[in-house]
């Protein structure tokens, strides 16, 4: 009883002081203002269009699958035009840099949206490493991408890795333009 | 009389079974003459050898072709070890063939400067062919070697390889020639493809060929990648890295028995690659990510007793055994770049031996004590050799193309390696001194050579 009364008094005091504050100055946050009309320069409104006459269309109870084109595609289609972003690496490097982290953030959102997808992260290398060492370097690149995604909350059992070293270059060229494309962690949907 | 028996053997793979002709090498025959060593007429120089075409004793085209092939291949086999001065064959086309092995025109061979002449005959029989050979000293007419072989006529090169190994063994105090050894490698020559995420990807499988590239045969048949073959010391099995399950795992194919094993028992979270047999064949060293990072492990051949040898946050990869089996060489990037290290087989006593970007250490067989490796140079790689005796490095290839993946021949006198000097990657052989370069493969792209450690 005693406590309740004290609480009421405190609440009242707070209300009064708040009212006082309002009276003294404007709130620090600007109030939302209606945006100017898009046709601000036109002084007169055009005449209203004729009222359409139409029968109401039935709305399907379930969401239209066509709304989400990715969900309806088969795995081959998804991978051919992959929504996942590859992570590119520096020469001899297996660390995920800033652009790589941004790519992985996008990929993490996709994996959260499509919660049943299982993804294989392929590690690839350019031809400037030896064939054998590149098997390990590609593995490190795939594992680095996987570990980053796990840190973002993607379950590890949805992320597989494989290293192809320099066996499957994306660009067969022999210059930096080709090499930079071939130093990557590449995402492939393996089941959905 | 000894026999070269044709035998049908199955090569087992995940998808298909191949038939290969096994090449059971004939055991050495008891010599009918007392063996002596033919030396040069000029002291200090290697003896000069001539190998004319063998004489076909039957008139059919097959026998005549076999007689020519044996002479040509034997000459090349003998040249390979660089123990004899091989007189160019076109200089003695005019010397008449021996009417019989007892009637060699010695005066003509002496006139040419030959110290030794290898003469032979090929005779077709009901079941195959009989090959007789004599190694004749030009000065005396005495035979230092006299042998007879019989078997199939299907692969006459095998008679030449067998005779060459026999001549090296007897004329060079037990020297083990490599004429009957094989090189395993990876190739995409059959142009097969596997489904890839963007485009179909060309796949490579395991192949094998004679040491000189002749007689190439496919060993594995899978619509996936099979790479990094490594022979068992007895030449009966090849261990390799296979992607047929969707991840890397080690498969051991017993190529003449039609069975295979997966001793490392891999799965998606326990991938295994780059296997290599210990010199006694009882263990396999390999790389695995089973603890979350590429590390070196050793297991018994059946997969039991797995031990982890490296515990470094860096990459540790590409093991090789010392000839005694007591040490392991490997690549580690713990210093910041990949370098060759050695350690005891229990993982202790780690020591770095290179100072430049290096990979694919391959330890030589005895009597040499060397490690060959690929070192980054210019835009590519060159093969170099670290010699433990002199603590020094010598360069084997010199910047022509990129040169990788060295593998020692079983007698330590030669290396196979990959080079881009002829365009796409091909397998070449070269002597341990860096001379006598020979191209072994020409079809498709070929990688990861591994030289069998015993004749076959």
């Amino acid at each position: 009883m005693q406590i309740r009364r004290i609480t009421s008094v405190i609440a009242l005091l707070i209300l009064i002081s708040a009212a006082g504050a309002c009276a003294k100055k404007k709130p620090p946050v600007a109030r939302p203002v209606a945006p100017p009309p898009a046709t601000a320069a036109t002084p007169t409104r055009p005449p209203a269009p004729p009222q359409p006459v139409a029968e109401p269309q039935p709305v399907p109870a379930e969401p239209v699958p066509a709304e989400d084109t990715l969900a309806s595609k088969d795995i081959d289609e998804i991978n051919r035009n992959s929504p996942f972003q590859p992570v590119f690496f520096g020469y001899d490097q297996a660390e995920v840099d800033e652009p790589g982290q941004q790519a992985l953030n996008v990929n993490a959102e996709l994996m959260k949206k499509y919660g049943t997808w299982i993804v294989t992260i392929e590690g690839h290398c350019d031809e400037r490493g030896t064939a054998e060492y590149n098997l390990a370097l590609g593995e490190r690149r795939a594992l680095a991408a996987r570990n980053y995604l796990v840190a973002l909350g993607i379950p590890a059992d949805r992320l597989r890795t494989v290293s192809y070293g320099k066996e499957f270059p994306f660009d067969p060229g022999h210059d930096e333009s080709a090499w930079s494309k071939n130093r990557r962690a590449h995402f492939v949907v393996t089941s959905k | 009389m000894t026999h070269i028996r044709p035998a049908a053997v199955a090569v087992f793979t995940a998808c298909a079974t191949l038939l290969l002709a096994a090449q059971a090498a004939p055991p050495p025959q008891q010599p009918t003459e007392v063996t002596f060593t033919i030396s040069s007429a000029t002291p200090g120089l290697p003896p000069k050898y001539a190998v004319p075409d063998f004489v076909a004793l039957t008139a059919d085209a097959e026998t005549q072709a076999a007689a020519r092939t044996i002479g040509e291949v034997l000459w090349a086999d003998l040249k390979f070890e660089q123990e004899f001065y091989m007189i160019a064959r076109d200089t003695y086309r005019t010397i008449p063939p021996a009417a019989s092995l007892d009637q060699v025109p010695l005066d003509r061979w002496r006139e040419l400067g030959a110290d030794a002449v290898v003469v032979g005959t090929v005779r077709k029989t009901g079941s195959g062919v009989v090959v007789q050979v004599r190694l004749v000293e030009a000065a005396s007419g005495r035979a230092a070697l006299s042998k007879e072989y019989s078997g199939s006529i299907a692969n006459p090169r095998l008679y030449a390889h067998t005779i060459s190994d026999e001549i090296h063994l007897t004329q060079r105090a037990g020297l083990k020639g490599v004429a009957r050894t094989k090189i395993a490698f990876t190739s995409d020559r059959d142009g097969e493809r596997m489904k890839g995420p963007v485009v179909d990807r060309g796949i490579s499988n395991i192949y094998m060929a004679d040491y000189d590239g002749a007689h190439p045969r496919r060993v594995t048949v899978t619509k996936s990648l099979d790479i990094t073959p490594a022979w068992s010391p007895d030449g009966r099995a090849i261990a390799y890295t296979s992607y047929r399950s969707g991840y890397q795992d080690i498969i051991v194919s017993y190529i003449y028995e039609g069975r295979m094993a997966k001793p490392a028992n891999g799965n998606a979270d326990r991938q295994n690659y780059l296997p290599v047999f210990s010199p006694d064949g009882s263990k396999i060293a390999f790389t695995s990510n089973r603890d979350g990072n590429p590390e070196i492990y050793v297991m018994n051949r059946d997969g039991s007793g797995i031990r982890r040898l490296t515990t470094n946050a860096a990459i540790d990869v590409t093991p090789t055994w010392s000839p005694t089996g007591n040490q392991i060489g490997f690549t580690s990037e713990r210093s910041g770049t990949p370098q060759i290290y050695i350690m005891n087989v229990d993982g202790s006593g780690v020591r770095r031996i290179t100072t430049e970007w290096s990979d694919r250490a391959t330890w030589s067989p005895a009597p040499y004590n060397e490690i060959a490796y690929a070192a980054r140079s210019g835009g590519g790689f060159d093969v170099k050799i670290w010699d433990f005796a002199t603590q020094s490095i010598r360069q084997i290839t010199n910047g022509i193309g990129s040169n990788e993946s060295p593998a020692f021949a079983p007698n330590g006198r030669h290396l196979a390696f990959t080079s881009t000097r002829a365009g796409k990657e091909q397998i070449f052989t070269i002597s341990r001194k860096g001379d006598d370069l020979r191209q072994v493969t020409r079809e498709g792209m070929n990688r990861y050579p591994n030289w069998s450690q015993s004749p076959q």
Side-chain angles (χ1 to χ4, degrees):
Chain A
M1 192 67 91
Q2 185 87 4
I3 291 169
R4 190 179 293 171
R5 192 178 299 143
I6 291 169
T7 311
S8 315
V9 169
I10 290 172
L12 193 64
L13 282 173
I14 290 170
L15 271 179
I16 291 167
S17 67
C22 283
K24 274 177 199 157
K25 52 184 177 186
K26 287 181 178 177
V29 179
R31 273 189 207 166
V33 187
T39 54
T42 316
T44 54
R45 303 177 73 176
Q51 192 78 18
V53 180
E55 279 187 300
Q57 290 294 319
V59 177
E62 288 181 346
V64 184
E67 285 279 289
D68 186 347
T69 52
L70 272 178
S72 67
K73 283 182 176 168
D74 69 25
I75 287 175
D76 285 351
E77 269 183 285
I78 294 170
N79 288 328
R80 211 172 297 129
N81 200 355
S82 179
F84 288 102
Q85 299 193 1
V87 179
F88 295 103
F89 293 86
Y91 182 42
D92 275 354
Q93 295 300 311
E95 267 136 47
V96 178
D97 61 9
E98 183 82 37
Q101 291 177 8
Q102 285 166 14
L104 288 171
N105 292 339
V106 171
N107 294 352
E109 290 309 311
L110 274 167
M111 296 224 40
K112 284 173 183 164
K113 185 173 176 190
Y114 302 101
T116 61
W117 287 11
I118 291 175
V119 163
T120 296
I121 308 172
E122 299 179 345
H124 295 273
C125 303
D126 71 28
E127 64 182 357
R128 288 179 301 167
T130 49
E132 294 86 356
Y133 181 76
N134 275 352
L135 295 175
L137 182 60
E139 181 164 82
R140 285 273 287 224
R141 288 175 176 167
L143 288 171
R146 182 194 207 222
N147 291 342
Y148 188 90
L149 290 176
V150 169
L152 290 181
I154 308 300
D157 60 8
R158 295 181 56 204
L159 298 163
R160 297 189 178 144
T161 60
V162 65
S163 171
Y164 287 118
K166 60 177 174 180
E167 295 295 323
F168 293 138
F170 285 77
D171 186 326
H174 305 288
D175 51 25
E176 177 53 33
S177 152
W179 296 327
S180 62
K181 292 189 192 78
N182 295 335
R183 296 189 297 263
R184 71 160 82 189
H186 190 80
F187 285 67
V188 178
V189 179
T190 42
S191 89
K192 53 177 277 199
Chain B
M1 203 203 285
T2 56
H3 293 269
I4 297 177
R5 287 183 300 273
V9 292
V11 173
F12 183 79
T13 69
C15 305
T17 300
L18 282 191
L19 287 181
L20 295 188
Q23 300 190 333
Q29 194 196 24
Q30 288 300 314
T32 54
E33 309 270 348
V34 176
T35 298
F36 63 96
T37 301
I38 298 174
S39 51
S40 170
T42 312
L45 291 182
K48 290 184 174 177
Y49 270 55
V51 187
D53 284 354
F54 278 30
V55 176
L57 298 180
T58 40
D60 62 292
E62 193 178 27
T63 307
Q64 291 185 334
R68 271 196 308 279
T69 299
I70 293 172
E72 279 167 18
V73 174
L74 177 55
W75 186 90
D77 286 349
L78 290 171
K79 191 172 196 303
F80 193 63
E81 294 297 346
Q82 302 189 31
E83 288 293 322
F84 315 115
Y85 179 90
M86 300 305 298
I87 304 172
R89 298 187 87 230
D90 56 3
T91 62
Y92 42 86
R93 295 274 180 224
T94 57
I95 298 181
S100 80
L101 293 187
D102 299 318
Q103 292 171 283
V104 180
L106 291 172
D107 51 341
R108 296 292 303 273
W109 292 110
R110 284 196 288 262
E111 196 176 281
L112 189 73
D115 299 303
V117 190
V118 186
V119 291
T121 59
V122 183
R123 178 168 49 85
K124 204 166 201 176
T125 64
S127 57
V129 72
V130 172
V131 176
Q132 287 189 309
V133 61
R134 279 193 199 169
L135 172 61
V136 179
E137 186 178 50
S140 66
R142 288 190 301 157
L145 184 83
S146 181
K147 292 262 176 191
E148 183 177 298
Y149 304 97
S150 72
S152 163
I153 197 170
N155 182 13
R157 307 178 71 90
L158 184 55
Y159 296 94
H161 295 333
T162 305
I163 293 164
S164 174
D165 282 355
E166 189 67 27
I167 289 174
H168 282 122
L169 196 67
T170 53
Q171 290 294 303
R172 281 297 176 266
L175 171 62
K176 286 178 182 150
V178 297
R180 283 179 296 156
T181 58
K182 302 273 188 285
I183 296 175
F185 53 95
T186 296
S187 183
D188 67 354
R189 60 183 58 195
D190 284 313
E192 292 173 9
R193 305 186 79 77
M194 66 183 256
K195 204 175 69 147
V198 183
V199 294
D200 285 358
R201 290 164 162 172
I203 56 131
S204 294
N205 276 188
I206 311 291
Y207 292 70
M208 61 192 273
D210 293 355
Y211 86 98
D212 56 5
H215 204 197
R217 284 159 296 163
R218 190 166 175 173
V219 176
T220 70
V221 181
T222 170
K223 291 280 185 221
S224 181
L225 268 187
D226 287 340
I227 57 174
T228 76
W231 290 95
S232 65
D234 64 1
R236 306 291 295 175
I238 297 176
Y240 52 96
T241 306
S242 180
Y243 289 75
R244 62 187 65 179
S245 304
Y247 49 83
Q248 300 175 87
D249 198 12
I250 293 165
I251 294 183
V252 179
S253 280
Y254 292 83
I255 62 173
Y256 299 114
E257 295 165 39
R259 67 184 169 100
M260 66 175 197
K262 290 186 178 179
N265 193 23
N267 61 40
D269 293 318
R270 196 168 64 211
Q271 302 187 31
N272 311 290
Y273 52 104
L274 285 166
V276 53
F277 280 99
S278 61
D280 67 0
S282 68
K283 295 185 177 67
I284 295 174
F286 62 102
T287 306
S288 178
N289 69 1
R290 59 186 61 210
D291 293 308
N293 191 49
E295 306 283 355
I296 309 285
Y297 299 77
V298 168
M299 62 182 168
N300 295 326
R301 189 179 177 135
D302 64 2
S304 64
I306 289 188
R307 278 184 295 122
R308 178 175 171 179
L309 301 192
T310 56
T311 52
N312 196 288
I315 289 174
D316 296 304
V317 68
T318 330
T320 181
W321 294 83
S322 72
T324 59
N326 294 332
Q327 290 177 290
I328 285 179
F330 64 104
T331 301
S332 179
E333 51 105 32
R334 60 188 66 183
S335 72
T337 54
Q339 303 284 343
I340 306 300
Y341 292 74
I342 58 172
M343 62 182 165
N344 298 323
V345 77
D346 63 0
S348 68
V350 176
R351 179 156 80 86
R352 176 173 157 182
I353 64 169
T354 57
T355 55
E356 57 187 339
W357 203 117
S358 305
D359 183 36
R360 182 65 284 179
T362 177
W363 213 310
S364 73
Y368 309 105
N369 193 13
E370 300 175 331
I371 286 183
Y373 57 94
R376 182 172 277 171
S377 74
F381 294 90
D382 273 312
V383 174
K384 297 185 178 180
I385 291 180
W386 163 260
D387 183 346
F388 284 94
T390 61
Q391 302 277 302
S392 63
I393 293 166
R394 69 178 188 277
Q395 190 162 342
I396 301 301
T397 63
N398 288 289
I400 305 169
S402 187
N403 306 283
E404 284 188 38
S405 302
F408 271 107
N411 64 9
R413 295 159 66 102
H414 319 272
L415 294 144
F417 64 100
T418 305
S419 181
T420 59
R421 64 184 66 205
K424 277 195 277 191
E425 282 158 293
Q426 300 294 352
I427 312 295
F428 289 76
T429 59
I430 198 166
S431 86
R432 62 180 288 279
K433 294 174 285 182
D435 61 5
D436 197 25
L437 180 79
R438 299 185 184 204
Q439 186 169 347
V440 171
T441 61
R442 295 173 193 279
E443 203 184 333
M445 183 182 75
N446 302 277
R447 278 183 180 156
Y448 306 107
N450 188 264
W451 210 313
S452 79
Q453 294 301 298
S454 52
Q456 291 176 31

